[in-house]
C-alpha cells in the first residue's frame, strides 16, 4: 500500500480543510441570513414568525438536494476519483452564493425573488451533498489507521470554521450598520465575499494529489465491468448506510438547533438583540473548532463508539439546561450554553469522518458514506429549525424543543450501540464490513 509522507499528508489536510471551510461558510451564511434577514427581504408578512417559517422553508430545501448531490458526486467520485469532484463542488457552491448576494428582493421583482432564491439554495445543497464525502475520504485514504480519527477530524473542523467565519462577518456587519441598512444591503457583502474565498480554496484544492488507495483500487479493477457504486451499496452495504444515518440524526439535528434556531428563539421569544446570539455562536464555534480534533484523537485511543456515545448522551441531557440558560438573557450564560452544547456535539462530529469511512470498501466508499450522511441530513438538520420553530409557536415553551432534541439523541444512541467498533480498520480492503454485528 502506498505510504503518504507526513508533509504531504498535512498539505492534503490543509487543502481539504480550507475548501471545506469555504463551502460551509457559504452554506452557513445562508442559514444565518434565513433567520435574520430573508424573512424581511424575500418573505415579508405581517407576522414575523410566519416570515421566518417561510424563510426556513427555503433553508430546508437546500437539504432536499443534498442526498441527490451525495448520490451523483459519490458515483463519479468512486469512478473518477475524489479530487476532481471536490473542485466541482467548490465552484458550484461559490457561484450560487455569489449570485444570492446579487439577487433583488421581493419589493423589487415580486414572487420571482423567492423562486430564484430557492433555485440557488438547491444548487448550494447539491454541491454540499458531494463536498463532505470527498473532503474526508481523501484524508482518510492518505492517512494511517492508528491516527485516522485525528487526521480526518480536521476537515470536520472546517465546518465550525466556516460557521465561525460566516457568523463573524454577519456580526461585524450588523454591529457597524443600522438595522435598516443591514436588511437593505449590508447582508449582501457577506455573500459577495465568497468569490474571494472560493478562489483561494480552489487554488489550494488543485494542488493536492489523488487518494493512493483509490488509485490502487482503480488499477486493480482495470477494465473489468463493475456494478454502479450505488447499486453495490444498496445490495451489500445497506446496513452500514442505516448505521451512518442513525448516527447522524442527533449530531446533525442538534447542531442546527444550537446554531440556527437559537437566533430565532433569542430574538423573537427571549427578546435580546441579534448581536447577542451571533456573538455567542462566534465564541461557541471557536471552542467547537478547537475540540473537534481532540475528540478525533481520543477516538484513536478508546474507539469511535465510546466517544460518539458520550457526546450523544451528554447532549441529550444538556439540552434541558440549554434553553433555561438562554432565558436568563445573560450574554455569558447564553455563550456558555452554546459552547458546552458544541463541545458535546464535537464528541460526535470529531470521530464521525473516520467512523463512516471505515464502514465501506474503497470502490463504494464515496457513495456509501455520502448517501448515509446526506440522507440523514434531510430527515434531521433540514427540518430541525422548522420543527423547533413550530413547536415553540404551538406550545409557547422551549421544553417541547428539548424533548425533540432528546428524542433525536435516543435514535443515535441506538444506532451507535448496534454498530461494531471500526477503529483500526485498513481502508485498502475493498469490502470493509466492520459496522454491524453479524455482518461478515
Amino acid at each position: 500500500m502506498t505510504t503518504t509522507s507526513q508533509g504531504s499528508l498535512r498539505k492534503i489536510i490543509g487543502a481539504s480543510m480550507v475548501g471545506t471551510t469555504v463551502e460551509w461558510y457559504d452554506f452557513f451564511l445562508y442559514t444565518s441570513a434565513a433567520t435574520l434577514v430573508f424573512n424581511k427581504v424575500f418573505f415579508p408578512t405581517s407576522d414575523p414568525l410566519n416570515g421566518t417559517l417561510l424563510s426556513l422553508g427555503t433553508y430546508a430545501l437546500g437539504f432536499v438536494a443534498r442526498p441527490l448531490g451525495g448520490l451523483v458526486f459519490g458515483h463519479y467520485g468512486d469512478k473518477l476519483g475524489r479530487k476532481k469532484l471536490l473542485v466541482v463542488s467548490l465552484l458550484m457552491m461559490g457561484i450560487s452564493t455569489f449570485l444570492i448576494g446579487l439577487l433583488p428582493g421581493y419589493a423589487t421583482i415580486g414572487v420571482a425573488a423567492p423562486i430564484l432564491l430557492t433555485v440557488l439554495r438547491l444548487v448550494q445543497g447539491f454541491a454540499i451533498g458531494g463536498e463532505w464525502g470527498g473532503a474526508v475520504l481523501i484524508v482518510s485514504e492518505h492517512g494511517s489507521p492508528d491516527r485516522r480519527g485525528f487526521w480526518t477530524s480536521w476537515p470536520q473542523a472546517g465546518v465550525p470554521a466556516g460557521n465561525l467565519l460566516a457568523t463573524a462577518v454577519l456580526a461585524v456587519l450588523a454591529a457597524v450598520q443600522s438595522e435598516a441598512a443591514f436588511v437593505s444591503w449590508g447582508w449582501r457583502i457577506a455573500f459577495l465575499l465568497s468569490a474571494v474565498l472560493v478562489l483561494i480554496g480552489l487554488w489550494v484544492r488543485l494542488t493536492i494529489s489523488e487518494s493512493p488507495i483509490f488509485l490502487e483500487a482503480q488499477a486493480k479493477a482495470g477494465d473489468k465491468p463493475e456494478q454502479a457504486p450505488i447499486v453495490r451499496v444498496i445490495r451489500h452495504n445497506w446496513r452500514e448506510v442505516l448505521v451512518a444515518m442513525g448516527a447522524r440524526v442527533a449530531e446533525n439535528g442538534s447542531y442546527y438547533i444550537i446554531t440556527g434556531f437559537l437566533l430565532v428563539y433569542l430574538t423573537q421569544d427571549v427578546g435580546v438583540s441579534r448581536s447577542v446570539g451571533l456573538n455567542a455562536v462566534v465564541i461557541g464555534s471557536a471552542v467547537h473548532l478547537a475540540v473537534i480534533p481532540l475528540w478525533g484523537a481520543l477516538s484513536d485511543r478508546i474507539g469511535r463508539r465510546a466517544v460518539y456515545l458520550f457526546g450523544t448522551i451528554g447532549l441529550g441531557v444538556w439540552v434541558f439546561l440549554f434553553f433555561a440558560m438562554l432565558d436568563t438573557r445573560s450574554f455569558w450564560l447564553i455563550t456558555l450554553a452554546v459552547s458546552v452544547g458544541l463541545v458535546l456535539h464535537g464528541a460526535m462530529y470529531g470521530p464521525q469522518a473516520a467512523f463512516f469511512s471505515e464502514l465501506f470498501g474503497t470502490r463504494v466508499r464515496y457513495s456509501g458514506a455520502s448517501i448515509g450522511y446526506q440522507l440523514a441530513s434531510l430527515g434531521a438538520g433540514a427540518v430541525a429549525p422548522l420543527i423547533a420553530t413550530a413547536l415553540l409557536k404551538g406550545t409557547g415553551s422551549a421544553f417541547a424543543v428539548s424533548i425533540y432534541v432528546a428524542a433525536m439523541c435516543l435514535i443515535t444512541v441506538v444506532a451507535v450501540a448496534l454498530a461494531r467498533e471500526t477503529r483500526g480498520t485498513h481502508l485498502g480492503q475493498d469490502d470493509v464490513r466492520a459496522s454491524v454485528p453479524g455482518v461478515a
Side-chain angles (χ1 to χ4, degrees):
M1 185 180 299
T2 303
T3 301
T4 304
S5 68
Q6 290 294 302
S8 297
L9 181 58
R10 290 190 182 95
K11 179 181 178 181
I12 290 161
I13 291 168
S16 184
M17 185 178 177
V18 167
T20 303
T21 299
V22 171
E23 291 218 35
W24 284 99
Y25 165 84
D26 292 351
F27 201 75
F28 283 128
L29 192 60
Y30 189 103
T31 304
S32 298
T35 60
L36 296 172
V37 177
F38 289 173
N39 57 331
K40 302 169 185 175
V41 176
F42 297 102
F43 304 96
T45 69
S46 57
D47 184 346
L49 201 54
N50 283 336
T52 300
L53 283 170
L54 290 172
S55 179
L56 289 174
T58 62
Y59 152 86
L61 281 175
F63 286 83
V64 173
R66 284 171 69 165
L68 180 59
L71 178 64
V72 173
F73 278 85
H75 173 83
Y76 287 104
D78 283 328
K79 289 285 189 181
L80 304 176
R82 305 359 182 169
K83 177 180 174 178
K84 296 182 181 69
L85 277 297
L86 284 173
V87 171
V88 173
S89 67
L90 182 62
L91 284 173
M92 289 182 66
M93 175 62 78
I95 292 171
S96 60
T97 303
F98 184 79
L99 291 176
I100 289 174
L102 299 176
L103 189 62
Y106 187 91
T108 304
I109 60 175
V111 72
I115 291 175
L116 290 173
L117 179 68
T118 300
V119 171
L120 292 173
R121 178 60 174 176
L122 287 170
V123 175
Q124 275 193 327
F126 184 84
I128 209 70
E131 162 64 24
W132 179 85
V136 301
L137 292 188
I138 202 164
V139 176
S140 295
E141 293 175 347
H142 275 89
S144 59
D146 59 324
R147 301 195 69 191
R148 185 178 297 127
F150 176 67
W151 293 129
T152 57
S153 67
W154 285 102
Q156 298 287 84
V159 177
N163 193 14
L164 176 62
L165 187 58
T167 309
V169 169
L170 284 175
V172 169
L173 291 174
V176 301
Q177 295 176 315
S178 66
E179 176 79 18
F182 181 73
V183 172
S184 176
W185 58 270
W187 63 271
R188 297 180 182 275
I189 296 173
F191 283 80
L192 297 177
L193 281 174
S194 69
V196 177
L197 297 175
V198 166
L199 289 176
I200 295 172
L202 187 62
W203 174 73
V204 173
R205 192 160 274 188
L206 285 170
T207 65
I208 63 176
S209 60
E210 183 56 85
S211 156
I213 289 178
F214 170 78
L215 293 175
E216 289 174 7
Q218 189 178 50
K220 186 184 297 184
D223 296 328
K224 294 183 294 185
E226 288 186 319
Q227 289 179 322
I230 181 58
V231 175
R232 296 179 66 187
V233 167
I234 292 172
R235 290 188 61 182
H236 304 294
N237 297 96
W238 58 271
R239 296 176 184 86
E240 287 81 359
V241 171
L242 290 178
V243 166
M245 289 175 63
R248 206 43 189 131
V249 169
E251 174 271 306
N252 192 233
S254 67
Y255 187 78
Y256 289 101
I257 297 294
I258 295 170
T259 61
F261 173 72
L262 164 92
L263 300 176
V264 176
Y265 184 71
L266 287 176
T267 57
Q268 299 186 21
D269 197 75
V270 177
V272 300
S273 69
R274 65 176 183 268
S275 62
V276 171
L278 286 171
N279 290 331
V281 173
V282 167
I283 295 172
S285 294
V287 174
H288 198 208
L289 174 61
V291 300
I292 283 177
L294 300 180
W295 288 121
L298 184 61
S299 78
D300 286 328
R301 297 178 64 86
I302 67 174
R304 319 298 184 210
R305 293 169 72 248
V307 177
Y308 215 111
L309 286 171
F310 173 81
T312 308
I313 295 169
L315 191 60
V317 174
W318 181 253
V319 70
F320 290 96
L321 298 173
F322 178 78
F323 287 103
M325 294 174 74
L326 300 188
D327 289 338
T328 66
R329 300 167 61 94
S330 164
F331 170 73
W332 292 112
L333 286 178
I334 291 170
T335 301
L336 179 63
V338 173
S339 298
V340 173
L342 290 177
V343 167
L344 293 169
H345 175 273
M348 293 182 279
Y349 207 57
Q352 187 182 85
F355 183 33
F356 287 9
S357 298
E358 292 160 350
L359 295 179
F360 301 95
T362 303
R363 298 297 287 166
V364 298
R365 187 167 292 128
Y366 203 145
S367 297
S370 295
I371 292 168
Y373 187 93
Q374 302 301 348
L375 281 177
S377 71
L378 179 59
V383 297
L386 283 169
I387 291 175
T389 302
L391 286 171
L392 179 63
K393 186 175 182 180
T395 66
S397 169
F399 184 75
V401 182
S402 298
I403 294 292
Y404 168 54
V405 175
M408 289 192 288
C409 290
L410 180 60
I411 293 172
T412 293
V413 166
V414 172
V416 177
L418 289 175
R420 184 178 298 162
E421 182 55 59
T422 62
R423 178 172 61 103
T425 299
H426 291 278
L427 297 186
Q429 301 171 23
D430 195 45
D431 288 301
V432 177
R433 304 295 298 278
S435 61
V436 182
V439 176

